Amino acid sequence: MILFIKLFLAHLLGDFIWQPNSWVADKEIKKHKSIYLYLHVLLHAVLAAILSGEINFIPYAFLIAVTHGIIDLIKLNFQKSKTKRTWFVVDQIAHVLVLTGVVLLYQNKGIIYFWQNNEFWILITGVLLLTKPASIFIKTIISIWEPENQNSYQDNSLIAAGNYIGILERLFVFGFILTGHFEAIGFLLAAKSIFRFGDLKEAKDRKLTEYVLIGTLISFGIAILAGIIVQALLLQLP
């Protein structure tokens, strides 16, 4: 784990802290012809080698750098102005997966490591449950109370913002429970109430307010229940 943390730090330094905007702009224009692309790759190799603190890791550091350059080239060649956000997310996920794979390879652990890791399966199931499945479940349950003015309220919101807010709040609650910070759940609920229900009060629609409140409480309830169950399962592992 500490090796992964060091490599992730190297990634943050190379991709964000020590990569000037001028490098990014030049890479987007010239793509594989940009000298800054190769300087960027070299920087990642040096950072990974230095922060790992192990001479034997140097070949793996260059493996990380080469795959980093390949991933960046794919992104540069396929991203468009309208898909930059999507490609940014895909790019970062790919880099993290490479770091994970290199760490497992260096420690002589393959995919079987995760396959046989009970903690991994319990956690990943809990996390995935709180994303789209929970959203669909909540939407189905509260659809019987759907108020007439909901559409007009959503017209003034960002596209799918409510769905993303719900997923994030459930993941936060899940993390708070697993780390033993139950008091943070109250803070999160209070913060959401301030921002969300202030707008609903101005709308002067009691049914819409109750509709959102029911959805919020169900969302928090599912996250709390999932967190408690996952925590109990983890404690039972040998």
Side-chain angles (χ1 to χ4, degrees):
M1 179 59 69
I2 190 61
L3 177 59
F4 176 81
I5 295 299
K6 290 179 177 180
L7 295 179
F8 187 64
L9 173 60
H11 172 72
L12 295 178
L13 291 172
D15 240 22
F16 300 99
I17 307 300
W18 290 341
Q19 180 176 209
N21 292 332
S22 57
W23 287 23
V24 177
D26 191 80
K27 288 191 299 180
E28 290 181 347
I29 296 174
K30 299 180 181 179
K31 297 179 174 55
H32 66 280
K33 295 181 179 180
S34 173
I35 185 63
Y36 296 113
L37 173 64
Y38 303 100
L39 288 176
H40 179 65
V41 170
L42 180 60
L43 176 62
H44 275 278
V46 173
L47 287 172
I50 293 176
L51 292 183
S52 68
E54 302 178 23
I55 296 179
N56 294 334
F57 191 78
I58 292 179
Y60 295 89
F62 280 95
L63 174 61
I64 291 174
V66 171
T67 54
H68 190 102
I70 293 173
I71 293 170
D72 279 6
L73 269 177
I74 294 174
K75 180 188 72 172
L76 292 170
N77 282 281
F78 287 96
Q79 73 176 5
K80 305 297 180 182
S81 58
K82 294 183 178 179
T83 60
K84 271 191 175 183
R85 180 178 59 184
T86 301
W87 275 104
F88 173 80
V89 174
V90 172
D91 173 78
Q92 294 302 315
I93 292 176
H95 291 320
V96 172
L97 289 177
V98 167
L99 296 181
T100 303
V102 170
V103 170
L104 294 176
L105 179 63
Y106 182 68
Q107 297 179 344
N108 294 321
K109 295 177 180 178
I111 190 63
I112 194 68
Y113 172 76
F114 284 111
W115 193 266
Q116 296 178 342
N117 191 317
N118 293 331
E119 291 184 0
F120 170 77
W121 290 111
I122 293 173
L123 286 172
I124 198 66
T125 301
V127 170
L128 290 179
L129 170 66
L130 297 177
T131 56
K132 190 173 181 179
S135 297
I136 294 175
F137 176 79
I138 295 169
K139 184 178 180 180
T140 302
I141 293 298
I142 65 177
S143 62
I144 59 175
W145 297 301
E146 187 171 345
E148 297 179 355
N149 295 335
Q150 184 194 7
N151 293 331
S152 61
Y153 174 73
Q154 291 179 340
D155 289 341
N156 297 323
S157 301
L158 298 175
I159 298 176
N163 184 43
Y164 291 121
I165 291 172
I167 291 175
L168 289 173
E169 72 185 16
R170 289 191 292 274
L171 293 179
F172 276 127
V173 171
F174 184 72
F176 291 149
I177 292 177
L178 294 185
T179 56
H181 294 89
F182 285 87
E183 68 282 357
I185 299 176
F187 172 79
L188 181 63
L189 182 59
K192 181 178 180 180
S193 299
I194 292 173
F195 289 105
R196 194 66 178 266
F197 298 120
D199 295 335
L200 291 172
K201 183 178 179 181
E202 293 179 1
K204 297 180 179 180
D205 189 333
R206 182 174 180 178
K207 290 183 179 180
L208 181 58
T209 301
E210 292 174 342
Y211 174 82
V212 175
L213 179 59
I214 291 172
T216 297
L217 293 177
I218 293 176
S219 179
F220 272 76
I222 291 174
I224 292 173
L225 182 61
I228 292 174
I229 292 175
V230 167
Q231 188 178 53
L233 291 175
L234 292 175
L235 290 175
Q236 290 180 359
L237 291 178

